[in-house]
């Protein structure tokens, strides 16, 4: 089931057995084969899951209008058929997302169905558009048609390899030019020193009351821009940050609504200096803990225990639970040999407090968890995260 809250859920009876958060509204779902299914999002993203594992995704600037599944080349493996708002019609391998066939209509595609339209005993792809045009596509039943499809796939692979070769050739020339200037000890060659490095750190900003990722390059260089890519954190998939007057540091804000169970982004930072004609592009990946917006604080004056709470039994060791806490909150808490702990957190975004208390069980009683927080949405997410981590099916409150 796909929903407007960006969630894909798989049900077995009334039980949710898999849940995944996407980057936009789910507009189309199609069963592929076995446990595999395809999905289309409102922001132009398509992809395939195999059970709870995402196999691949592709994103385009046009809207997904419909998805279907059909074994076009009769190899026993169904292909993914996609219709787009710009009239594009394409066929892709379900395992890799590689395009093997495409066509173009003069109007947006309204729907795709797989039916025996001509009543000849074999199903075909029927594609309809907004202006009433209908086209049918049959499977590749002859060797000539299959060879034609394979030839098109080979041509696409060749073009991709040529583009990759050209990019590598340009990169090689850039390195050679850089090395030549360094060996000649040219001081003002407009080059970035080879020892230039880029560091990134996730931290709380008291000035803006939000989390941020701070990027810093080696002294004497500047960060001209940072490009962030994430299908789960940014609705458009890509955001660009740059300063009016670039310096060696730049901070990228992390909004509260961008945090989630699978918050992750890839960052590309363009580093150089004001007179450089060649820049370094540093690429790094960052996992953002779901509850990093809560920073650990010491109990003292002004730290209040919220009245609202949830408590339940948990038969786990304190050491294992502290490891989950560090992963979920991005902290470095060490409980040592203690079998119980009371931890306090403060929200960077709204200043609210959260208390997490745990007492390890023994031969006479079960372990016990109590979470105090006025935001029950956060508490629910914490319980879900903890249940996923320890693979819990039910909890006694």
């Amino acid at each position: 089931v796909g929903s407007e809250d960006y969630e894909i859920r798989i049900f077995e009876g009334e039980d949710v057995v898999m849940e995944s958060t996407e980057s936009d509204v789910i507009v189309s779902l199609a069963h592929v084969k076995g446990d595999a299914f395809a999905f289309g999002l409102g922001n132009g993203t398509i992809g395939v899951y195999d059970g709870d594992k995402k196999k691949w995704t592709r994103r385009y600037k046009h809207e997904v209008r419909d998805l279907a599944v059909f074994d076009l080349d009769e190899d026993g493996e169904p292909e993914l058929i996609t219709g787009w708002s710009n009239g594009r019609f394409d066929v892709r391998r379900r395992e890799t997302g590689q395009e093997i066939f495409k066509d173009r209509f003069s109007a947006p595609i309204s729907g795709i169905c797989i039916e025996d339209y001509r009543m000849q005993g074999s199903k075909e792809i029927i594609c309809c558009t907004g202006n009433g045009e209908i086209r049918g596509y049959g499977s590749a039943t002859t060797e000539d048609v299959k060879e034609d499809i394979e030839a098109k796939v080979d041509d696409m692979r060749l073009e991709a390899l040529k583009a990759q070769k050209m990019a590598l050739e340009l990169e090689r020339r850039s390195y050679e030019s850089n090395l030549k200037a360094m060996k000649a000890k040219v001081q003002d060659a407009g080059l970035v020193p080879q020892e230039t490095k880029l560091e990134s750190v996730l931290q709380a900003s008291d000035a803006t009351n939000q989390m941020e990722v701070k990027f810093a390059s080696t002294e004497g260089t500047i960060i001209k821009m940072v490009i962030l890519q994430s299908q789960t954190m940014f609705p458009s998939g890509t955001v660009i940050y740059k300063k009016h007057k670039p310096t060696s540091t730049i901070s990228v804000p992390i909004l509260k609504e961008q945090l989630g169970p699978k918050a992750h982004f890839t960052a590309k930072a363009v580093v150089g200096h004001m007179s450089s004609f060649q820049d370094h592009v540093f690429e790094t990946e960052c996992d953002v803990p779901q509850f990093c917006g809560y920073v650990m604080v010491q109990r003292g004056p002004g730290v209040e225990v919220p009245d609202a709470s949830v408590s339940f039994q948990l038969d786990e060791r304190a050491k294992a639970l502290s490891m989950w806490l560090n992963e979920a909150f991005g902290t470095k808490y060490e409980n040592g040999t203690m079998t119980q702990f009371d931890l306090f957190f403060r929200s960077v975004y709204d200043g609210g407090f959260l208390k997490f208390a745990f007492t390890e069980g023994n031969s006479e009683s079960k372990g016990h968890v109590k979470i105090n927080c006025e935001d029950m949405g956060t508490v629910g997410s914490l319980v879900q995260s903890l249940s996923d981590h320890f693979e819990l099916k039910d909890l006694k409150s």
Side-chain angles (χ1 to χ4, degrees):
V1 177
S3 60
E4 292 186 356
D5 61 356
Y6 301 4
E7 296 287 334
I8 295 177
R9 299 179 178 90
I10 297 179
F11 289 85
E12 186 175 343
E14 296 182 354
D15 299 327
V16 177
V17 296
M18 193 280 277
E19 188 172 18
S20 179
T21 303
E22 292 299 331
S23 58
D24 208 328
V25 176
I26 290 82
V27 297
S28 187
L29 293 170
H31 176 247
V32 179
K33 184 180 181 181
D35 292 335
F37 65 92
F39 66 93
L41 307 181
N43 61 6
T45 300
I46 59 172
V48 167
Y49 276 90
D50 191 355
D52 60 352
K53 305 293 184 183
K54 189 180 293 185
K55 302 285 288 186
W56 58 267
T57 59
R58 299 287 186 275
R59 180 166 181 173
Y60 301 94
K61 62 182 180 180
H62 302 289
E63 297 177 10
V64 180
R65 288 301 177 86
D66 203 3
L67 293 176
V69 176
F70 185 71
D71 187 3
L72 185 66
D73 52 8
E74 293 195 333
D75 62 351
E77 294 295 332
E79 281 76 42
L80 176 62
I81 319 295
T82 312
W84 300 87
S85 61
N86 65 336
R88 179 184 173 88
F89 169 91
D90 57 45
V91 182
R92 299 174 183 276
R93 299 286 189 198
R94 75 175 182 92
E95 287 291 337
T96 63
Q98 181 185 26
E99 187 178 85
I100 62 173
F101 177 80
K102 62 182 178 181
D103 203 353
R104 177 77 69 171
F105 290 78
S106 59
I109 291 176
S110 298
I112 301 172
C113 60
I114 311 297
E115 296 294 341
D116 184 7
Y117 182 71
R118 296 181 293 178
M119 301 182 69
Q120 294 182 338
S122 61
K123 292 187 176 182
E124 303 162 318
I125 306 171
I126 310 300
C127 188
C128 309
T129 67
N131 64 358
E133 183 180 3
I134 299 177
R135 294 184 195 174
Y137 302 85
S139 59
T141 55
T142 67
E143 289 299 323
D144 289 341
V145 176
K146 289 183 180 180
E147 289 178 2
D148 183 51
I149 291 177
E150 291 175 358
K152 288 182 178 179
V153 173
D154 290 339
D155 288 341
M156 290 178 183
R157 287 175 178 168
L158 182 60
E159 290 300 320
L161 288 172
K162 285 181 178 179
Q164 187 178 6
K165 179 183 177 182
M166 183 177 295
L168 289 172
E169 180 66 21
L170 290 172
E171 187 175 358
R172 181 185 67 82
R173 291 178 183 177
S174 175
Y175 281 131
E176 288 179 348
S177 175
N178 226 342
L179 183 61
K180 184 178 179 180
M182 292 296 179
K183 287 182 177 180
K185 296 183 178 180
V186 179
Q187 298 297 322
D188 191 16
L191 303 174
V192 180
Q194 287 181 319
E195 63 273 13
T196 301
K197 296 181 180 180
L198 180 75
E199 296 179 348
S200 62
V201 60
L202 179 66
Q203 62 185 24
S205 171
D206 293 330
T208 59
N209 292 326
Q210 60 189 4
M211 297 300 293
E212 64 181 19
V213 179
K214 184 178 180 180
F215 295 91
S217 62
T218 304
E219 187 176 355
T221 62
I222 61 173
I223 302 176
K224 297 185 177 181
M225 70 171 65
V226 175
I227 304 169
L228 303 183
Q229 295 176 314
S230 174
Q231 293 292 333
T232 58
M233 295 182 65
F234 313 122
S236 62
T238 303
V239 293
I240 299 175
Y241 290 90
K242 59 187 300 187
K243 287 183 175 180
H244 179 64
K245 292 183 178 180
T247 63
S248 61
T249 63
I250 186 171
S251 296
V252 175
I254 302 297
L255 305 180
K256 185 177 181 179
E257 56 267 24
Q258 292 174 336
L259 298 175
K262 295 182 180 180
H264 172 90
F265 65 82
T266 299
K268 295 181 180 179
V270 181
V271 179
H273 52 78
M274 295 305 295
S275 61
S276 62
F277 57 82
Q278 290 183 2
D279 298 318
H280 282 253
V281 178
F282 292 89
E283 184 170 342
T284 183
E285 295 190 3
C286 181
D287 289 315
V288 183
Q290 183 176 1
F291 305 102
C292 67
Y294 282 88
V295 296
M296 190 178 296
V297 295
Q298 296 295 324
R299 179 69 189 273
V303 178
E304 302 174 354
V305 179
D307 294 329
S309 67
V310 169
S311 59
F312 51 88
Q313 295 178 2
L314 182 66
D315 192 18
E316 295 291 341
R317 296 297 181 187
K319 187 70 175 178
L321 193 63
S322 66
M323 293 175 64
W324 166 77
L325 277 167
N326 288 334
E327 180 181 316
F329 287 85
T331 56
K332 296 181 180 179
Y333 172 69
E334 292 288 345
N335 72 308
T337 59
M338 292 189 300
T339 58
Q340 66 178 43
F341 50 78
D342 291 345
L343 302 179
F344 290 84
F345 299 85
R346 180 182 60 83
S347 172
V348 175
Y349 296 96
D350 58 23
F353 292 101
L354 181 149
K355 178 186 175 184
F356 191 99
F358 174 70
T359 302
E360 192 174 292
N362 51 42
S363 59
E364 298 179 357
S365 61
K366 294 279 188 179
H368 182 265
V369 172
K370 185 175 183 180
I371 305 173
N372 293 76
C373 184
E374 296 297 339
D375 185 353
M376 284 292 109
T378 296
V379 175
S381 297
L382 274 169
V383 174
Q384 184 65 56
S385 174
L386 186 148
S387 300
D388 291 342
H389 182 84
F390 291 107
E391 298 182 350
L392 305 177
K393 298 300 182 182
D394 57 78
L395 288 172
K396 290 187 177 181
S397 62

